[in-house]
Amino acid sequence: MIKTVEWVSEGVRMIDQLRLPVEEVYPVFRTCGEVAEAIRTMVVRGAPAIGVAAAMGIALGVKSAAGLDRKNSVAQFNTCCETLRTTRPTAVNLFWAIARMKKKFESLTSTPDGFDPREVAREMEKEALKIYEEDIACNKAMAEHGARLIPQDAAVLTHCNAGALATAGYYGTALGVIKAAHEQGKHISVWVDETRPYLQGARLTAWECEKEGIPHTLITDNMAGHFMKRGQVQCVVVGADRIAANGDTANKIGTYSLSVLAKEHHIPFFVVAPQSSIDPTLKSGEEIPIEERSSREVTHIRNVQIAPDGTRAAHPAFDVTPAQNIHNIITEHGILYKPFSESIAALFAE
Amino acid sequence: MIKTVEWVSEGVRMIDQLRLPVEEVYPVFRTCGEVAEAIRTMVVRGAPAIGVAAAMGIALGVKSAAGLDRKNSVAQFNTCCETLRTTRPTAVNLFWAIARMKKKFESLTSTPDGFDPREVAREMEKEALKIYEEDIACNKAMAEHGARLIPQDAAVLTHCNAGALATAGYYGTALGVIKAAHEQGKHISVWVDETRPYLQGARLTAWECEKEGIPHTLITDNMAGHFMKRGQVQCVVVGADRIAANGDTANKIGTYSLSVLAKEHHIPFFVVAPQSSIDPTLKSGEEIPIEERSSREVTHIRNVQIAPDGTRAAHPAFDVTPAQNIHNIITEHGILYKPFSESIAALFAE
């Protein structure tokens, strides 16, 4: 069982995803600021995992303020939320988790008789753990729903890492669906897109497939079309960083191109994400903010220079796949069908 | 002026493309076997450059046999051709150059009165230099023809390296067209696909654009669709390793995916290649042999491990773009229009 994020007595323990696959180490982050930095630098990444880590970061912040007076404990809470809010812009789970922790904090602190910061800290810790446990339960539910869509014999292509490492742990989102199909005895193999520039596929998804004993083949991102054309890909399954109300989906850069290639070859294209990755306040994908990361992550690979000195590089970390290129969106509540604007509205109306 | 391959008194001098862009060194390869090894290990790469290097390698082989008797000099020639023939399978220019040198050798050695191996060596050297000079002339002609197709203001996307480094030198094929448009005062910028796994875009095309002063932005291969969708790509220009009689084109892995993305976004897609890259003996792209290279070139980048130990990786070095995804093929004889089966047949009938 891969434990991506865990609450321990000293803080938040997370597998260092920057050091995988060569080293498997689990540093502990002891303050909200340390957790925020881990999110920013991608020690932890993946939309659901970022949400869980942020919730735990807030719980850490509130805990460290438990000895302060009420006013300062509220101030510390707000600083902590603000620090986390500015780490990464695209994955909505971050904002979702902050909003949920904020709501809880407000309900605990807006009592007419005042509040005990120690008691609030305990309750906030419980809320963070609830988010963690819900995420794992979500993963299992998504995996079960999604596995039904995977053919009995299938080479499944996935992009980036939407596995246990992208969530609180255990299953993951897209890779969870693949794992469940494999566990059900379906004859599954995985095409692992290496996923430049950060190589989450090569470093993380290949590592998870290896751990789970799922047959897999690593490819560079530009090989996907070639193998689709040869009939060697039966479906594409990816995660999501933010889904708009109409089903447009922001996910790791390269996902959009894959969706076009899948359409060209009549290959089903599935998105797997918890409801917390859906942002019903955005009408379409055009409104999703796309993070622009450092060009050095393109010009250098693990500190090895691959381009001439001073080369200008672009680095949008995500792109948007339009709803019409997606066959189904799989959430913990079941499989969403088109038109997604209706099925998403129904999901939020429940 | 970039000098990719040059005939010098000690042998064949080539820029070491494995060490670019960090180092610019020009080792000399003194025997046919050394030239063959340089082709195999991709010290020199790019279909036209491979053809020129092979011709010079043969000239070197014949030169070293000039002191032998006739029988042994013929044997040495044949060994030399065979060594070169097995270096790389996809680029047809290699076989084209070998065939041309063979024809010349046969015409020189099949005289009724026997032949002087020294005289044959001099003539073979002349033939290799002729191939070299023709390649440079071809590049200039292709650049002029192709530049007409490039809009006045254009962000041009290119894949791999089809520049001076992929040919005998100076212009190149696809990048030659871009350079000529830039020299004509058109407002050109280049999207440089990094081109995994070998990174010819990041290492070589970015280096050439820098040398020529053409504005360029490096992207990972999986970003191309994103920028096309945003309207930031006006055309795609690529080279070719082998073109079948119907216009189907084998080129660096990833080219096919780009052609599908270009089609989706109604962006013109041009192939630039000399006639020597066209193989009229193959009916369609399905008959083009696709080189499978080492999986280590995927799991490691410049010797840095990016995937878990023992990860299986696929590495088709090329893919095939169907003729219907190509707008025009630009050769030294002019622009070919659809149906390519007819325009290619007409070219070879001339």
Side-chain angles (χ1 to χ4, degrees):
Chain A
M1 288 294 189
I2 297 164
K3 293 184 173 179
T4 308
V5 186
E6 260 191 309
W7 181 265
V8 294
S9 54
E10 313 85 44
V12 182
R13 183 159 65 196
M14 297 194 272
I15 189 167
D16 186 342
Q17 301 196 31
L18 296 176
R19 291 165 78 177
L20 283 174
V22 178
E23 289 176 279
E24 185 177 339
V25 291
Y26 294 83
V28 174
F29 300 84
R30 289 158 202 275
T31 65
C32 176
E34 283 182 16
V35 171
E37 197 52 25
I39 293 171
R40 192 191 314 276
T41 58
M42 295 173 69
V43 166
V44 62
R45 29 63 54 199
I50 290 172
V52 171
M56 289 182 176
I58 291 171
L60 273 186
V62 176
K63 193 177 175 186
S64 74
L68 303 180
D69 62 26
R70 287 173 194 164
K71 196 182 151 201
N72 281 314
S73 114
V74 171
Q76 163 110 353
F77 169 80
N78 287 327
T79 306
C80 184
C81 291
E82 188 54 21
T83 306
L84 285 159
R85 201 185 58 76
T86 56
T87 50
R88 299 197 67 193
T90 303
V92 76
N93 309 59
L94 173 67
F95 311 106
W96 171 87
I98 294 169
R100 180 158 155 184
M101 293 297 277
K102 225 168 203 166
K103 198 172 160 196
K104 184 75 186 176
F105 187 80
E106 279 158 11
S107 81
L108 292 166
T109 56
S110 63
T111 46
D113 305 335
F115 61 91
D116 172 7
R118 277 178 196 79
E119 177 58 21
V120 168
R122 277 192 294 275
E123 290 299 318
M124 291 297 282
E125 178 181 325
K126 273 192 204 161
E127 186 71 5
L129 285 171
K130 213 172 141 194
I131 289 176
Y132 165 84
E133 279 151 17
E134 284 172 15
D135 187 64
I136 289 169
C138 268
N139 291 350
K140 288 186 181 160
M142 284 186 284
E144 275 167 36
H145 294 305
R148 289 171 15 220
L149 296 172
I150 307 294
Q152 188 62 34
D153 290 275
V156 183
L157 190 145
T158 190
H159 189 63
C160 195
N161 172 270
L165 291 168
T167 64
Y170 300 93
Y171 271 91
T173 58
L175 200 54
V177 166
I178 296 170
K179 286 178 192 175
H182 171 75
E183 284 172 10
Q184 288 168 7
K186 289 184 177 175
H187 197 245
I188 302 296
S189 64
V190 183
W191 291 108
V192 178
D193 256 9
E194 67 172 359
T195 318
R196 278 282 287 149
Y198 237 76
L199 297 166
Q200 291 95 335
R203 296 192 298 106
L204 310 177
T205 301
W207 182 81
E208 284 198 39
C209 286
E210 170 71 28
K211 283 228 164 194
E212 302 280 344
I214 307 172
H216 58 286
T217 305
L218 178 65
I219 57 172
T220 58
D221 304 315
N222 60 20
M223 291 176 191
H226 172 70
F227 289 112
M228 287 182 184
K229 183 159 157 258
R230 294 193 160 192
Q232 293 176 265
V233 179
Q234 276 64 55
C235 60
V236 178
V237 186
V238 297
D241 286 83
R242 193 184 305 209
I243 300 172
N246 69 345
D248 288 354
T249 296
N251 190 48
K252 183 52 52 196
I253 186 74
T255 304
Y256 167 63
S257 292
L258 276 181
S259 78
V260 172
L261 290 165
K263 188 175 69 170
E264 170 82 4
H265 298 93
H266 312 289
I267 295 168
F269 185 95
F270 303 122
V271 169
V272 187
Q275 189 177 350
S276 56
S277 293
I278 303 176
D279 183 350
T281 69
L282 303 185
K283 264 194 233 162
S284 82
E286 282 176 30
E287 297 175 33
I288 301 175
I290 298 296
E291 178 179 10
E292 182 76 24
R293 291 186 65 88
S294 158
S295 67
R296 193 185 154 91
E297 291 170 355
V298 173
T299 58
H300 292 67
I301 297 177
R302 311 222 103 184
N303 276 324
V304 176
Q305 181 178 343
I306 60 158
D309 290 334
T311 296
R312 177 182 146 180
H315 185 183
F318 304 93
D319 57 26
V320 175
T321 297
Q324 68 261 29
N325 289 5
I326 300 167
H327 276 63
N328 295 104
I329 298 171
I330 296 140
T331 75
E332 67 274 32
H333 303 297
I335 299 167
L336 301 187
Y337 294 86
K338 288 182 183 176
F340 295 126
S341 51
E342 288 176 19
S343 49
I344 288 173
L347 187 68
F348 279 86
E350 269 167 22
Chain B
M1 289 294 190
I2 296 163
K3 293 185 172 180
T4 307
V5 185
E6 260 191 308
W7 180 265
V8 293
S9 55
E10 312 86 44
V12 181
R13 183 158 65 196
M14 297 194 272
I15 188 166
D16 186 343
Q17 301 196 33
L18 296 175
R19 292 164 78 178
L20 283 175
V22 178
E23 289 175 279
E24 185 177 338
V25 291
Y26 294 82
V28 174
F29 300 85
R30 287 157 203 277
T31 65
C32 176
E34 284 182 16
V35 171
E37 197 53 24
I39 293 172
R40 193 191 314 277
T41 58
M42 294 173 69
V43 166
V44 62
R45 28 65 51 202
I50 290 172
V52 171
M56 289 183 177
I58 291 171
L60 273 185
V62 175
K63 194 178 174 185
S64 74
L68 304 179
D69 62 26
R70 287 174 194 164
K71 195 181 152 201
N72 281 315
S73 115
V74 172
Q76 163 111 350
F77 170 80
N78 286 328
T79 305
C80 185
C81 290
E82 188 54 22
T83 306
L84 285 159
R85 200 184 58 77
T86 55
T87 50
R88 299 197 67 194
T90 303
V92 75
N93 309 60
L94 173 66
F95 311 108
W96 171 86
I98 294 170
R100 180 160 156 184
M101 292 297 277
K102 225 169 202 163
K103 198 173 160 195
K104 184 75 187 174
F105 188 79
E106 279 159 12
S107 80
L108 292 166
T109 55
S110 62
T111 46
D113 305 334
F115 61 90
D116 171 8
R118 276 178 195 78
E119 178 57 22
V120 167
R122 276 192 294 276
E123 290 299 318
M124 291 298 281
E125 179 182 325
K126 273 192 205 161
E127 187 71 3
L129 285 172
K130 214 171 143 198
I131 289 176
Y132 166 85
E133 279 150 20
E134 284 172 13
D135 187 64
I136 289 169
C138 267
N139 291 350
K140 287 185 183 161
M142 284 186 284
E144 275 167 37
H145 293 307
R148 291 173 11 222
L149 296 172
I150 308 294
Q152 187 61 34
D153 290 275
V156 183
L157 191 145
T158 190
H159 190 64
C160 195
N161 173 270
L165 290 168
T167 63
Y170 300 93
Y171 270 92
T173 58
L175 200 54
V177 166
I178 296 170
K179 286 178 193 176
H182 171 74
E183 283 172 9
Q184 287 168 7
K186 288 184 178 176
H187 197 244
I188 302 297
S189 64
V190 184
W191 291 106
V192 178
D193 257 11
E194 66 172 2
T195 318
R196 278 282 289 148
Y198 237 77
L199 297 167
Q200 291 93 335
R203 297 191 297 106
L204 310 178
T205 301
W207 182 81
E208 284 199 39
C209 286
E210 170 71 28
K211 283 227 165 197
E212 302 280 344
I214 306 173
H216 58 286
T217 304
L218 178 65
I219 57 172
T220 59
D221 303 316
N222 59 19
M223 291 175 191
H226 172 70
F227 289 111
M228 286 182 185
K229 181 158 158 259
R230 293 193 160 191
Q232 292 176 263
V233 179
Q234 276 64 54
C235 60
V236 179
V237 186
V238 297
D241 287 82
R242 192 182 308 207
I243 301 172
N246 70 345
D248 288 356
T249 295
N251 191 46
K252 183 53 51 197
I253 186 73
T255 304
Y256 168 63
S257 292
L258 276 181
S259 78
V260 171
L261 290 165
K263 188 174 69 170
E264 170 82 3
H265 298 93
H266 311 291
I267 295 168
F269 185 94
F270 303 122
V271 170
V272 186
Q275 189 178 349
S276 56
S277 293
I278 304 177
D279 183 350
T281 69
L282 303 185
K283 265 194 233 159
S284 81
E286 282 176 32
E287 297 175 32
I288 302 175
I290 298 297
E291 177 180 11
E292 182 77 24
R293 291 187 65 89
S294 157
S295 68
R296 194 184 154 91
E297 291 171 354
V298 173
T299 59
H300 291 68
I301 296 176
R302 311 221 103 184
N303 275 324
V304 176
Q305 181 179 346
I306 60 158
D309 291 333
T311 296
R312 177 182 147 180
H315 186 184
F318 303 93
D319 58 25
V320 175
T321 298
Q324 68 260 30
N325 289 5
I326 300 167
H327 277 62
N328 296 104
I329 299 171
I330 296 141
T331 75
E332 67 272 33
H333 303 297
I335 298 167
L336 302 187
Y337 293 86
K338 288 181 183 178
F340 295 126
S341 51
E342 289 176 19
S343 49
I344 287 173
L347 187 68
F348 279 87
E350 269 167 23

